[in-house]
Amino acid sequence: MVIEIHKMNKNQKSILILGANGFIGNALVKDLCNDGTMKIYGMDIENNKLDHSLGNPNFVFEKGDINSSDKWIKDHIKKCDIIVPLVAIATPNVYVKDPLKIFQLDFESNLKIIKWVAEYNKRVIFPSTSEVYGITSDKEFNEYTTNLTVGPVHKSRWIYSVSKQLLDRIIIAYGEKGLLDYTIFRPFNWIGPRLDSLKLAQLGNGRVLSIFIYNLLNNKDLIVVGDGNQSRSFTYIDDGIDALKRIIYNSSGNDLNKKIFNIGNPDNNININNLAKILIEEYNKIYPKNFTGKITNQDHKIFYGEGYEDIPVRVPDIREAKKILNWAPKYDLKMSIRETLNSFIKEKENNKL
Ligand code: UGA
């Protein structure tokens, strides 16, 4: 139980963040707390990434599971102006190993939230994903024109993509009936401090950068899946949070209802081979002799299993976010990689890993 010492002032807007302890959640909470303008309610099963904000008078945290905290969640949807449901498993290894878990948590649990947000007439800012575009051949993925293309149903890697896609479609359908005020955002490979727990990355349940960093810090080979020519457009978390806050505060003054935004950095598109090389280079600048491992290649069927398919290219079209949010990413690739690496090194030094 959290006791609210500071009462809300009447005009202060309030926001409910579900999954407040996650990679995006904790960074968003931190920034909103620093701004000090909103009342922030957060729920998560853990709070280990929220050390920076627990105790802030504008932040009320409740430890809880969205699967078993219906009363608290409903009460807080009623109480808040904006709902940001960030709870999801977003690591490809789990899509392949436990697709029903993705369906249950990423889809079913979030559907419940969306229905309540509609029922109580609130605004939802929903995290879709770059994964919805799948293996489309478009050079840049556009929110309104790109076809969403995924592999066959026995390739369970796609369960995350289609779970998010169906939620997007349900949200849009509610919106068309005038029953839901929404903005959808699609993060493209956001990276930064607290991306994944390195303990989980060690077991393969991370994203590429956290797995690579774990291996680097533990002097293990970096395993590149396939030939390593597949590319991603990595986006630094501060750029992502900047975009997200523009949506939350509606600082551009434009109508954001019914809008979808890719939030990514097309200039930071790089293939995985080069990502591994740059990361090792950056690490060697800090600890010249520590890493004696190498880059090796492994077939995706061995790394992830039969249910995996890769995505060869993923570049966002960000014209919409530039035009409507007046937003543009600022962090270049090396800076984004360096900042992420440094944050994990620092946590390791502080024995927080
Ligand atoms: C990710 C995840 O689905 C989500 O976190 C998220 O919604 C989305 O992309 C996003 O942030 O845009 P993906 O980029 O495929 O999907 O996931 P990563 O695990 O980061 O893998 C990127 C690439 O690196 C893939 O080609 C993968 O095969 C490769 N990889 C991964 C390696 O070569 N080695 C590894 O150790 C791990």
Side-chain angles (χ1 to χ4, degrees), residues 74-180:
K74 274 199 213 175
D75 287 349
H76 285 78
I77 291 175
K78 276 188 215 164
K79 193 186 256 194
C80 290
D81 302 293
I82 298 171
I83 321 302
V84 190
L86 295 173
V87 174
I89 294 171
T91 45
N93 194 38
V94 186
Y95 313 161
V96 177
K97 301 278 171 1
D98 197 354
L100 284 178
K101 176 103 189 138
I102 303 300
F103 169 70
Q104 194 282 318
L105 185 70
D106 296 14
F107 181 75
E108 282 190 310
S109 300
N110 281 288
L111 178 61
K112 172 180 83 176
I113 307 294
I114 299 301
K115 285 180 175 173
W116 289 333
V117 177
E119 188 182 335
Y120 300 127
N121 213 4
K122 301 300 169 104
R123 175 178 180 216
V124 68
I125 298 175
F126 185 72
S128 178
T129 172
S130 64
E131 288 253 341
V132 295
Y133 298 105
I135 41 180
T136 171
S137 58
D138 285 9
K139 284 202 169 62
E140 290 195 342
F141 302 173
N142 180 275
E143 299 92 334
Y144 299 99
T145 59
T146 293
N147 289 325
L148 312 182
T149 313
V150 298
V153 285
H154 63 283
K155 297 289 179 187
S156 51
R157 186 254 158 77
W158 301 110
I159 195 145
Y160 175 73
S161 168
V162 297
S163 292
K164 287 283 191 182
Q165 183 191 149
L166 187 53
L167 282 167
D168 287 0
R169 290 185 187 278
I170 291 166
I171 289 168
I172 290 165
Y174 270 109
E176 275 169 7
K177 283 204 160 225
L179 298 174
L180 186 63

Side-chain angles (χ1 to χ4, degrees), residues 235-236 238-240 242-243 246 264-265 267-268 318 326-333 335-336:
T235 309
Y236 194 60
D238 289 10
D239 280 330
D242 176 21
R246 285 167 195 259
N265 191 335
D267 295 337
N268 286 356
I318 55 168
N326 294 327
W327 170 85
K330 297 184 188 76
Y331 284 78
D332 70 23
L333 186 69
M335 218 158 131
S336 308

Side-chain angles (χ1 to χ4, degrees), residues 90 95 129-131 189 207-208 223 225 232 308 310 314:
Y95 313 161
T129 172
S130 64
E131 288 253 341
N189 290 85
R207 284 158 273 205
V208 66
I223 301 172
V225 175
R232 298 292 184 271
Y308 187 78
D310 216 323
R314 178 189 281 166

Side-chain angles (χ1 to χ4, degrees), residues 65-77:
D65 184 338
I66 66 162
N67 294 312
S68 54
S69 309
D70 288 7
K71 184 172 177 333
W72 189 93
I73 295 173
K74 274 199 213 175
D75 287 349
H76 285 78
I77 291 175

